[in-house]
Amino acid sequence: MIAGLLLAAGAGRRYGRPKALVELDGEPLVRRGVRLLADGGCAPVHVVLGAGADEVPDLPGAVPVRHDRWADGLGSSLRRGLASLPVDASGAVVVLVDQPLLSPVAVRRVREAYADGAVVVATYAGRPGHPILLCRRTWPLLNRYAVGDRGARDLLRERPDLVVAVPCDDVGSPVDVDTPADLPRC
């Protein structure tokens, strides 16, 4: 079983409000992220919520995971989300709520490239991005790497022996929404 994990806990300081609540084409980014993972074949889908959690709309098909220490950064949210997944999940595809141009095709490619013990990462122009699949065996390593506002980036850099790269340039974009001015690009 490959679960989906949507990280949507941040306050969106540069945006001016939690990005999970921002709408694109009339749909909150948090719902788009849930749909992305589900359409990409992930089950179950867990969503880490923090800032603005009480304002997040219902998320049909997803398990909300409250994270009271969301202000500790992305690494804390990643570790909290992974800990919430069922014990029979052999891995998790992780995406960020502020990247609305990722595609279910990229999620499927990453899932199909999965091999036990590997970290599978989508690449764009040769650079690692999301989605990223973290095999359960790698989760304990994140206690060292996923700290503050850092997720798995340092793990990718320091442990290339674990990494499988999957080009996804042709099926989406890793462009993120940091400010209201970024939204029209999507």
Side-chain angles (χ1 to χ4, degrees), residues 68-86:
D68 295 331
R69 296 190 59 180
W70 60 267
D72 289 349
L74 174 72
S76 174
S77 293
L78 175 59
R79 292 190 321 273
R80 172 69 177 102
L82 292 172
S84 77
L85 296 174

Side-chain angles (χ1 to χ4, degrees), residues 99 102 110 120-132 150 153 156-157 163-170 172-176:
Q99 294 183 321
L102 297 179
V110 165
V120 183
V121 62
T123 61
Y124 303 88
R127 297 180 57 149
H130 287 88
I132 180 171
R150 302 187 75 79
R153 182 180 343 158
L156 300 177
R157 186 178 17 247
V163 178
V164 174
V166 178
C168 290
D169 306 81
D170 61 324
S173 169
V175 169
D176 61 342

